[in-house]
């Protein structure tokens, strides 16, 4: 958990929303440094991210989740403006990454439109592996060997999806100046699998789905069976899908290649299946990111996707 987001309070904890509020003067800082005694390294305070809030939301089944929100720097100065929102899974990694991309690449709305970032961290008290293995997977898989599916619990995607739909998304829309019609999702690996699951079960939750190296192989491609069930009763699927994978996420001789799952082929097949349905309102874009593997591809995917879905006012500047 990010420093500054780990203390549970009722409601929410504002994390340096004003940036400089309460900051000591230069003279005070100089005096403090001159008189300060050495502090043990384990007592050094963590980094606090400006314009960021940490919320706590209770799931009625007895789970508590932190929710992290990063607002654009000019949010307070534009109270009538409505912002698109990007929700990211695996927030321990993706939240600071996307926030940095938005601020650096975005250049205050010039290269990227300002947007509200919402991070979805693990359930309080669980490790990332425990929480994501349960919340992001749509079924309980068959374990064929001791090495298969080593987490304690799987198959909670339907509950987590509905928790987002009934609790998290309405709370964010009520608390912040959002544009619900421009709500986007981004997930990688199991997070991408969860996004694919939401896409073919409750696609209306998000306008855009950024699916990076989704684990479509999971449980003998259960996502394909779920999509077929959706297709039986639906002719429309109003969503924009950006489906990406690294060029090394296939079989090959080097250490960066996969040896079990040909995710490059899986992504291609999933995109072809979606297109073959001729769903009304569906737009699918695919890309293979050259020179990237399963661990390195996500930053590039996010950068390209943000430029595509949230273009700024321009003209684009790169230096």
């Amino acid at each position: 958990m990010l420093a500054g987001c780990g203390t549970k309070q009722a409601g929410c904890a504002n994390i340096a929303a004003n940036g400089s509020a309460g900051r000591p003067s230069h003279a005070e800082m100089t005096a403090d440094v001159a008189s300060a005694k050495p502090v043990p390294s384990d007592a050094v305070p963590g980094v606090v991210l400006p314009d960021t809030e940490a919320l706590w939301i209770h799931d009625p089944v007895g789970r508590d989740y932190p929710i992290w929100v990063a607002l654009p720097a000019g949010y307070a100065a534009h109270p009538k403006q409505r912002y698109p929102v990007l929700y990211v899974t695996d927030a321990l990694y993706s939240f600071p990454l996307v926030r940095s991309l938005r601020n650096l690449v975005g250049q205050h709305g010039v290269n990227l439109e300002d947007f509200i970032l919402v991070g979805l961290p693990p359930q309080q008290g669980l490790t990332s592996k425990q929480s994501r293995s349960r919340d992001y997977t749509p079924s309980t898989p068959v374990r064929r060997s001791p090495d298969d599916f080593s987490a304690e619990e799987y198959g909670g995607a339907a509950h987590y999806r509905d928790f987002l739909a009934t609790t998290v998304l309405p709370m964010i829309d009520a608390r912040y100046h959002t544009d619900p019609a421009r709500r986007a999702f981004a997930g990688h690996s199991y997070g991408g699998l969860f996004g694919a699951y939401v896409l073919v079960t409750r696609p209306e939750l998000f306008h855009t789905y950024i699916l990076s190296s989704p684990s479509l192989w999971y449980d003998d491609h259960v996502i394909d069976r779920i999509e077929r069930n959706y297709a039986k009763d639906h002719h429309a699927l109003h969503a924009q899908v950006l489906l990406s994978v690294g060029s090394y996420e296939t079989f090959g001789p080097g250490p960066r290649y996969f040896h079990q799952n040909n995710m490059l082929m899986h992504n291609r097949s999933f995109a072809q299946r979606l297109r073959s349905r001729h769903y009304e309102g569906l737009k699918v874009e695919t890309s293979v990111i050259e020179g990237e593997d399963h661990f390195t591809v996500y930053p590039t995917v996010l950068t390209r996707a943000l430029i595509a879905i949230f273009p700024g006012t321009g003209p684009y500047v790169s230096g």
Side-chain angles (χ1 to χ4, degrees):
M1 200 174 276
L2 293 177
C5 298
T7 303
K8 182 173 178 180
Q9 300 179 18
C12 74
N14 190 329
I15 303 181
N18 297 320
S20 61
R23 183 177 297 168
S25 68
H26 177 73
E28 291 171 328
M29 292 174 65
T30 303
D32 287 343
V33 170
S35 60
K37 296 181 179 180
V39 179
S41 59
D42 60 355
V44 174
V47 175
V48 176
L49 301 178
D51 303 308
T52 304
E53 293 184 348
L55 314 177
W56 283 92
I57 299 185
H58 180 70
D59 184 336
V61 299
R63 305 168 185 169
D64 290 306
Y65 288 89
I67 304 294
W68 300 338
V69 181
L71 300 171
Y75 179 85
H78 300 90
K80 295 184 178 181
Q81 183 173 342
R82 293 286 172 177
Y83 295 89
V85 184
L86 176 63
Y87 288 79
V88 294
T89 57
D90 293 308
L92 293 172
Y93 168 69
S94 61
F95 182 81
L97 172 63
V98 177
R99 179 185 174 277
S100 297
L101 290 174
R102 183 193 65 185
N103 294 351
L104 176 63
V105 180
Q107 296 299 304
H108 302 286
V110 175
N111 296 342
L112 295 177
E113 179 182 4
D114 283 335
F115 62 90
I116 296 171
L117 172 63
V118 179
L120 303 173
Q123 176 193 333
Q124 175 70 6
L126 296 186
T127 66
S128 178
K129 179 180 179 179
Q130 290 170 326
S131 188
R132 72 194 302 270
S133 295
R134 180 195 65 202
D135 292 342
Y136 298 167
T137 58
S139 60
T140 301
V142 176
R143 292 177 167 92
R144 295 184 174 89
S145 76
D147 295 332
D148 282 350
F149 307 107
S150 57
E152 291 88 345
E153 186 178 357
Y154 294 88
H159 176 82
Y160 190 67
R161 175 204 60 196
D162 294 343
F163 169 64
L164 294 181
T166 61
T167 306
V168 179
L169 271 58
M171 184 272 295
I172 294 295
D173 289 339
R175 183 177 178 84
Y176 302 101
H177 306 146
T178 68
D179 181 355
R182 301 183 63 205
R183 186 187 292 141
F185 170 94
H188 176 75
S189 196
Y190 270 3
L193 171 66
F194 176 72
Y197 172 74
V198 176
L199 173 70
V200 296
T201 56
R202 297 189 64 176
E204 72 280 359
L205 293 186
F206 301 97
H207 173 271
T208 300
Y209 291 80
I210 303 169
L211 307 181
S212 172
S213 305
S215 301
L216 304 174
W217 52 264
Y218 177 83
D219 196 14
D220 292 330
H221 297 265
V222 66
I223 195 67
D224 293 343
R225 301 193 292 275
I226 296 170
E227 188 277 332
R228 282 197 296 271
N229 289 335
Y230 180 87
K232 291 178 183 178
D233 302 318
H234 300 85
H235 300 289
L237 201 166
H238 293 279
Q240 178 183 17
V241 181
L242 282 66
L243 188 60
S244 300
V245 66
S247 62
Y248 282 106
E249 295 186 81
T250 185
F251 299 143
R256 297 183 70 186
Y257 285 99
F258 273 141
H259 302 290
Q260 291 183 327
N261 296 307
N262 189 340
M263 295 180 68
L264 197 155
M265 182 183 69
H266 300 164
N267 275 25
R268 184 185 300 118
S269 298
F270 187 65
Q272 291 173 346
R273 182 177 300 104
L274 290 176
R275 289 169 176 150
S276 71
R277 303 292 189 192
H278 302 291
Y279 287 118
E280 175 188 335
L282 177 63
K283 181 180 180 182
V284 179
E285 300 179 20
T286 61
S287 61
V288 177
I289 311 300
E290 291 297 327
E292 304 293 353
D293 60 42
H294 192 68
F295 291 140
T296 66
V297 70
Y298 201 27
T300 301
V301 169
L302 287 170
T303 302
R304 295 183 181 185
L306 292 177
I307 292 173
I309 69 173
F310 296 141
T313 57
Y316 192 97
V317 296
S318 60

